């Protein structure tokens, strides 16, 4: 059973920082793209940032210059360094990964349960 578990969310003041992490576990063959998405109440889930197995990154315009996505050397954990946080960043942040596993050897996307980020003004 493949699982993605996020951590690092919390309540911070505007201008503060948080570092989110997401670790994959299970009978994993390989992981291609990993990324972060956010969802505020009443809104669609939106892309924040992604990183491929080769290290290519992609960011939403709203977070460019403030957030940095990275991946550990083992390629099973993804991080999101969030600096200069703004109240509009408040949302549940979800981890996503394209994973080949024993149960899905041809690959599929998995979602974490999410971690809450709240930014006060």
């Amino acid at each position: 059973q493949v699982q993605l578990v996020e951590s690092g969310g919390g309540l911070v003041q505007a201008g503060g920082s948080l570092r989110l992490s997401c670790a994959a576990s299970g009978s994993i063959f390989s992981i291609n793209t990993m990324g972060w998405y956010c969802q505020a109440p009443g809104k669609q889930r939106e892309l924040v940032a992604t990183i491929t197995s080769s290290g290519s990154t992609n960011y939403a315009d709203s977070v460019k210059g403030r957030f940095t996505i990275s991946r550990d050397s083992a390629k099973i954990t993804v991080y999101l360094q969030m600096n200069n946080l703004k109240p509009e960043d408040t949302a549940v942040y979800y981890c996503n990964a394209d994973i080949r596993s024993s149960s899905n050897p041809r690959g599929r996307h998995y979602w974490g349960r999410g971690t809450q980020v709240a930014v006060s003004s």
Side-chain angles (χ1 to χ4, degrees):
Q1 180 183 354
V2 172
Q3 294 185 76
L4 296 174
V5 180
E6 304 100 330
S7 63
L11 174 64
V12 297
Q13 293 184 327
S17 298
L18 286 172
R19 185 174 177 84
L20 307 184
S21 63
C22 171
S25 63
S27 186
I28 296 170
F29 296 160
S30 64
I31 303 177
N32 187 15
T33 301
M34 302 185 79
W36 291 95
Y37 295 74
C38 67
Q39 187 167 24
K43 299 189 67 177
Q44 287 189 206
R45 191 169 298 184
E46 299 179 341
L47 181 146
V48 176
T50 60
I51 183 167
T52 69
S53 59
S54 62
S56 297
T57 58
N58 184 45
Y59 295 92
D61 288 343
S62 61
V63 307
K64 288 180 179 177
R66 299 189 297 123
F67 294 4
T68 302
I69 190 169
S70 61
R71 199 163 170 175
D72 71 345
S73 59
K75 307 295 179 66
I76 61 172
T77 304
V78 64
Y79 304 93
L80 186 69
Q81 179 65 48
M82 310 167 75
N83 295 329
N84 191 25
L85 283 159
K86 302 176 180 180
E88 51 263 44
D89 295 321
T90 296
V92 176
Y93 284 73
Y94 296 90
C95 178
N96 178 269
D98 181 10
I99 302 174
R100 299 179 189 273
S101 66
S102 60
S103 58
N104 292 277
R106 299 174 72 174
R108 60 156 283 188
H109 284 270
Y110 292 84
W111 290 95
R113 299 289 293 274
T115 185
Q116 177 71 58
V117 171
V119 184
S120 62
S121 60

